[in-house]
Each structure stands twice: as structure tokens, then as C-alpha cells.
Amino acid sequence: MDRIKGQVVEILAPNRVLFEIAFVGNYNKRNYADVVEVRFTDLTPPYDKDASGSEIIGILNNSILGVQASLQVQSKDVDGTLVGRLKLEGVAFRRKRKLP
């Protein structure tokens, strides 16, 4: 499986994002464009399952837009969309630290 790293630059749908590639794995079998569309299959959803599509997109805009991530590419859809597991890497700490 190929691996790529980069940044989430736009949320397209509840399970699709535009991904700007910064690094590619040394042993990748395919070449990729600078910006690719990704359909993620495995990402712990930061939203309620009962929320509507537009609500989910709004929540994803607030939580993963601009975040550094890596993608383990599993396959490619007919339309050229990459399918894989998206792992967030640059999530900011937004709460107070708990003191012992």
C-alpha cells in the first residue's frame, strides 16, 4: 500500500476531502498529483451519526480543515478518487491541561 502525507485543504462531503500532498513514501507504486481527492474509509467521526450532511461538513471544517495528515492508500475509485485510511497528525491541543 502506498503512503502519502500532506494537509487537508477542503472538505467536499462527509467522507471526502481535498488533500495537498507534501511527502510520498519511498516505495510507492503510483505517482500522484499535488492535490488529490480522497474518500476516507477509516476516521473516527467527530460528529453525531444522526447529523445531516451539511452539519457534518461544518463540523469537519472546524475540526480537520488545515490539519496535517497521512493517508494509507488502499485503492482508487473509478473516478480517480483515492480511497484509504486517513490519520490526523497535526491536531492542536485546545483544552486546559489537567493538573495532578
Side-chain angles (χ1 to χ4, degrees), residues 5-99:
K5 288 187 179 187
Q7 183 176 12
V8 177
V9 293
E10 187 178 346
I11 309 298
L12 302 174
N15 66 344
R16 289 179 184 259
V17 297
L18 273 184
F19 193 75
E20 183 177 13
I21 298 175
F23 302 100
V24 294
N26 291 334
Y27 302 105
N28 283 1
K29 295 179 182 174
R30 299 181 187 138
N31 293 326
Y32 299 100
D34 292 340
V35 178
V36 293
E37 187 174 333
V38 171
R39 178 171 60 90
F40 52 86
T41 58
D42 189 12
L43 175 71
T44 304
Y47 49 82
D48 186 12
K49 298 270 185 202
D50 298 328
S52 70
S54 60
E55 289 174 336
I56 293 170
I57 291 173
I59 292 168
L60 289 174
N61 272 323
N62 292 332
S63 60
I64 70 170
L65 186 63
V67 172
Q68 297 293 320
S70 63
L71 178 74
Q72 189 173 16
V73 181
Q74 296 169 347
S75 65
K76 201 174 196 180
D77 280 346
V78 177
D79 63 352
T81 302
L82 300 179
V83 179
R85 182 172 183 242
L86 191 65
K87 180 180 176 186
L88 304 180
E89 295 182 347
V91 178
F93 183 79
R94 293 190 175 120
R95 296 200 173 118
K96 292 182 181 179
R97 294 186 187 267
K98 183 178 178 183
L99 297 175

